[in-house]
Amino acid sequence: MSVLVAGTTALDSIKTPYRENPRLLGGSASHAAVAASFFAPVRLVGVVGDDFPRRYLTLYRKHGIDLAGLQKAPGRTFHWSGEYEINMNNRRTLKTELGVLEHFKPVLPPSYRQTPFVLLANNAPTLQHQVLDQMQRPRFIVADTMDLWLNIALEELRRLLPRIDALVLNDSEARHLTKEDNVIVAAQRLHRLGPRFVIVKKGEHGSLLSYPGGLFLAPAFPLTEVVDPTGAGDSFVGGLLGHLASSRGSIVANLKRAMIYGSVVASFCCEGFGLTRTTRVTRRDIERRVRQLEELVRY
Amino acid sequence: MSVLVAGTTALDSIKTPYRENPRLLGGSASHAAVAASFFAPVRLVGVVGDDFPRRYLTLYRKHGIDLAGLQKAPGRTFHWSGEYEINMNNRRTLKTELGVLEHFKPVLPPSYRQTPFVLLANNAPTLQHQVLDQMQRPRFIVADTMDLWLNIALEELRRLLPRIDALVLNDSEARHLTKEDNVIVAAQRLHRLGPRFVIVKKGEHGSLLSYPGGLFLAPAFPLTEVVDPTGAGDSFVGGLLGHLASSRGSIVANLKRAMIYGSVVASFCCEGFGLTRTTRVTRRDIERRVRQLEELVRY
């Protein structure tokens, strides 16, 4: 079944101690849409400016991504630039130029409104609400977020939580949102705010799912080299929802397996700048790595 | 088969934001010996002073621990006191009084010298060497260490590495020792210094085993409340070697399973001050939690 992915479509300029990479394809929706596209048909919602390179549209299309909901507005594409320190864990934002994102109002084409799986990739909660408002009874809604929105749009984020099935956030955000230091307790508390499923991303330490009556621990695929972790979280949630949309049967069992696939797609994302590695991966590469990960935890 | 556990036998005074606990039974050898005792007969090597409470000797004996190698010396028992911050991750040493540990020279009773499994629990590398010097062809030797020895006894620690089968250390120590930021690469590099097996402890994030030709990721048992993590690492390695000593068959397969058991014993350790929780646990409690942990990662 199809997946609607709404979020940011951006140009990312990424500096690491070793290289500079100007104006890569980036943004939460780009990463999530490509990740989801390995498993399910994807419909993209976003906005780009006049400066958006045509080759990136070609890249979306190569992944079979439906672009009917990708608006083109006069002005410049949202541009983020950041710098990683040598250990790749500390990121510093150098510049954020909103460009056409500033006045963006998502308008979903009629063909999108009945998409059964909805991913509200990281973006301002107001925009996440606006997307949901246009959907007709989706089967499963996942929302991702980031620390920025906890700081500047907490109320709208909290209003979103009762509207979604699953919340995805990282460990520090889960702690921040609940004022609870223990991540498992924090995840459990988040259910009270709305979502039946809470997925906490812990980067290289994997992720955990809290569901009614249970907990699941998913490992991260161990990497010996991280080139650029930008978009890894978006790839995780995109791969996750894409895989979920392609599965039948018990939602809990499917979510667990989907987290493993999300984790594997995220690991590929980290092995190249921006989307350069992910877009060269095949479904077969993913399946191979899923089997390797199974092997790495088997005893 | 039997396990020899050599390390520190101490009195620990542990402060947390909620409680003070003076003069608990502690030390690397105490935690490791109790942990190993659930699976195999244990022989303890250590030293205590005149002030060592008789009830702690009773506690060792209750766990069937052979005390022939526990020396009693005139003076005071090694005393450590520390304070945990509210999140239980940051520990501050308040005082370290070496007492009888200062002039301790381990002398192994003849009955100990052919013990097949040897655990050099965290202690000064000089003492770890002295224990090994007295052993007759043990089958499997594990050494644990801590950051202190990397800073003040690096050369002796490095000399120990070719003498052991498995090195256990935490992630920051693995990075420190190899000057390599990626933990997996760091673990792989450590083989070159001697040990065939390298086990990296990552606290709440589990542990990893690097072995010739492979890697294994072991989850930590997720706890919703950590009362006192002191001795968790020692319990992990003690439970690990105890379980290994009780297993037959392939060493790699046994080590993987032993890490799960070590992880579970360590989780009990964190649920009480000092050894108070661990010493109340039964083998059945351990087996139950091992099954729960299997369930938590199954998909």
Side-chain angles (χ1 to χ4, degrees):
Chain A
M1 283 193 272
S2 294
V3 177
L4 181 137
V5 176
T8 62
T9 40
L11 299 174
D12 283 352
S13 295
I14 298 166
K15 256 175 96 167
T16 70
Y18 312 109
R19 250 178 84 171
E20 283 194 46
N21 298 272
R23 298 167 69 77
L24 296 163
L25 177 59
S28 65
S30 302
H31 280 281
V34 169
S37 75
F38 293 108
F39 312 105
V42 174
R43 297 165 176 166
L44 186 66
V45 177
V47 63
V48 297
D50 326 295
D51 59 343
F52 194 71
R54 182 173 294 194
R55 68 178 185 283
Y56 291 158
L57 296 174
T58 311
L59 199 66
Y60 286 141
R61 286 197 193 96
K62 201 196 102 193
H63 282 269
I65 296 169
D66 184 340
L67 301 179
L70 182 65
Q71 297 173 38
K72 191 163 174 178
R76 296 177 71 81
T77 305
F78 172 44
H79 182 218
W80 176 82
S81 69
E83 188 172 11
Y84 283 92
E85 284 178 21
I86 198 148
N87 71 7
M88 296 292 156
N89 287 323
N90 299 321
R91 182 168 86 173
R92 200 158 60 92
T93 292
L94 299 173
K95 236 191 318 195
T96 305
E97 297 158 294
L98 286 180
V100 295
L101 192 59
E102 194 169 354
H103 301 291
F104 175 52
K105 263 197 168 296
V107 179
L108 270 53
S111 60
Y112 275 33
R113 301 188 183 209
Q114 297 188 7
T115 314
F117 289 82
V118 177
L119 173 52
L120 306 171
N122 175 36
N123 206 348
T126 322
L127 298 178
Q128 293 178 313
H129 277 287
Q130 287 170 10
V131 170
L132 268 198
D133 291 342
Q134 298 172 62
M135 295 302 299
Q136 287 165 21
R137 300 173 51 84
R139 279 168 68 127
F140 202 86
I141 305 163
V142 177
D144 194 2
T145 192
M146 72 183 289
D147 50 358
L148 175 67
W149 312 119
L150 271 64
N151 292 322
I152 70 169
L154 183 58
E155 264 324 295
E156 293 188 79
L157 178 62
R158 287 182 74 119
R159 276 202 308 111
L160 185 72
L161 300 184
R163 302 186 71 187
I164 63 175
D165 296 286
L167 173 67
V168 179
L169 73 183
N170 74 28
D171 45 359
S172 64
E173 292 153 11
R175 290 196 186 96
H176 179 152
L177 197 50
T178 57
K179 317 269 180 261
E180 165 58 52
D181 206 69
N182 183 296
V183 177
I184 294 149
V185 178
Q188 290 165 346
R189 295 232 176 120
L190 286 167
H191 293 298
R192 295 190 210 151
L193 301 177
R196 252 187 318 150
F197 301 102
V198 175
I199 293 168
V200 181
K201 297 176 285 186
K202 301 188 294 172
E204 61 173 316
H205 303 302
S207 55
L208 69 87
L209 164 69
S210 173
Y211 59 92
L215 198 67
F216 171 64
L217 311 175
F221 187 84
L223 293 173
T224 52
E225 199 193 6
V226 172
V227 173
D228 169 22
T230 311
D234 308 311
S235 300
F236 169 76
V237 70
L240 186 158
L241 197 61
H243 197 271
L244 191 71
S246 74
S247 308
R248 284 158 173 250
S250 141
I251 178 73
V252 171
N254 289 347
L255 260 178
K256 291 177 180 177
R257 186 159 284 273
M259 284 169 72
I260 300 294
Y261 278 84
S263 189
V264 161
V265 180
S267 75
F268 284 116
C269 174
C270 293
E271 291 182 320
F273 283 99
L275 274 156
T276 51
R277 174 86 170 105
T278 317
T279 49
R280 268 188 234 119
V281 162
T282 64
R283 177 70 189 257
R284 213 169 140 169
D285 297 327
I286 294 170
E287 294 296 343
R288 192 179 306 125
R289 200 167 269 195
V290 164
R291 286 196 302 275
Q292 284 171 349
L293 189 52
E294 278 168 4
E295 221 27 74
L296 285 166
V297 298
R298 179 172 298 155
Y299 58 92
Chain B
M1 282 192 273
S2 294
V3 176
L4 181 137
V5 177
T8 62
T9 40
L11 298 174
D12 283 353
S13 295
I14 299 166
K15 257 176 96 166
T16 71
Y18 312 109
R19 250 178 84 171
E20 285 194 45
N21 297 273
R23 298 169 70 78
L24 296 163
L25 178 58
S28 63
S30 303
H31 280 280
V34 169
S37 75
F38 293 108
F39 312 104
V42 175
R43 296 167 177 164
L44 185 65
V45 177
V47 63
V48 297
D50 325 294
D51 59 344
F52 194 72
R54 183 174 295 194
R55 68 178 183 283
Y56 292 159
L57 296 174
T58 311
L59 199 66
Y60 286 141
R61 286 200 193 95
K62 202 196 102 193
H63 283 268
I65 297 169
D66 185 339
L67 302 179
L70 182 66
Q71 296 174 38
K72 191 163 174 180
R76 295 177 73 80
T77 304
F78 172 44
H79 182 219
W80 177 82
S81 69
E83 188 171 11
Y84 283 92
E85 284 179 20
I86 198 148
N87 72 7
M88 296 291 154
N89 287 323
N90 299 322
R91 182 168 85 174
R92 199 158 61 91
T93 291
L94 298 173
K95 233 188 324 191
T96 305
E97 297 158 294
L98 286 179
V100 295
L101 192 59
E102 193 170 354
H103 301 291
F104 176 51
K105 264 199 166 294
V107 178
L108 271 53
S111 60
Y112 276 33
R113 301 188 182 209
Q114 298 190 4
T115 313
F117 289 82
V118 177
L119 173 51
L120 305 171
N122 175 36
N123 206 348
T126 323
L127 297 179
Q128 293 179 314
H129 277 287
Q130 287 170 7
V131 171
L132 268 197
D133 291 343
Q134 298 172 63
M135 296 300 300
Q136 286 165 22
R137 301 173 52 83
R139 278 169 69 131
F140 202 86
I141 305 163
V142 176
D144 193 2
T145 192
M146 72 183 288
D147 51 358
L148 176 67
W149 312 120
L150 271 64
N151 291 323
I152 71 168
L154 183 58
E155 264 324 295
E156 294 188 81
L157 179 62
R158 288 182 73 120
R159 276 202 307 111
L160 185 71
L161 301 183
R163 302 187 71 188
I164 63 176
D165 297 285
L167 174 67
V168 179
L169 73 184
N170 73 29
D171 45 0
S172 64
E173 292 153 11
R175 290 194 185 97
H176 179 153
L177 197 50
T178 57
K179 317 270 179 259
E180 165 59 51
D181 207 68
N182 183 297
V183 178
I184 294 149
V185 177
Q188 289 165 346
R189 293 231 177 120
L190 286 168
H191 292 299
R192 294 190 212 151
L193 301 178
R196 253 187 317 151
F197 301 102
V198 174
I199 294 169
V200 181
K201 297 176 285 186
K202 302 188 293 172
E204 61 173 315
H205 302 302
S207 55
L208 69 86
L209 165 69
S210 173
Y211 59 93
L215 198 67
F216 170 65
L217 311 175
F221 187 85
L223 292 174
T224 52
E225 198 193 7
V226 171
V227 173
D228 169 22
T230 311
D234 308 310
S235 300
F236 169 76
V237 70
L240 186 159
L241 196 60
H243 197 272
L244 192 72
S246 73
S247 308
R248 282 158 175 251
S250 141
I251 179 73
V252 171
N254 289 347
L255 261 177
K256 291 177 180 177
R257 186 158 284 273
M259 284 168 72
I260 300 294
Y261 278 83
S263 189
V264 162
V265 180
S267 74
F268 284 116
C269 174
C270 293
E271 291 182 320
F273 283 99
L275 274 156
T276 51
R277 175 84 171 105
T278 317
T279 49
R280 268 187 235 119
V281 162
T282 64
R283 176 72 188 258
R284 214 168 138 170
D285 297 327
I286 294 170
E287 295 296 342
R288 191 179 305 124
R289 200 168 267 194
V290 164
R291 286 196 302 276
Q292 284 171 350
L293 188 52
E294 278 169 3
E295 220 28 73
L296 285 166
V297 298
R298 179 172 298 156
Y299 59 92

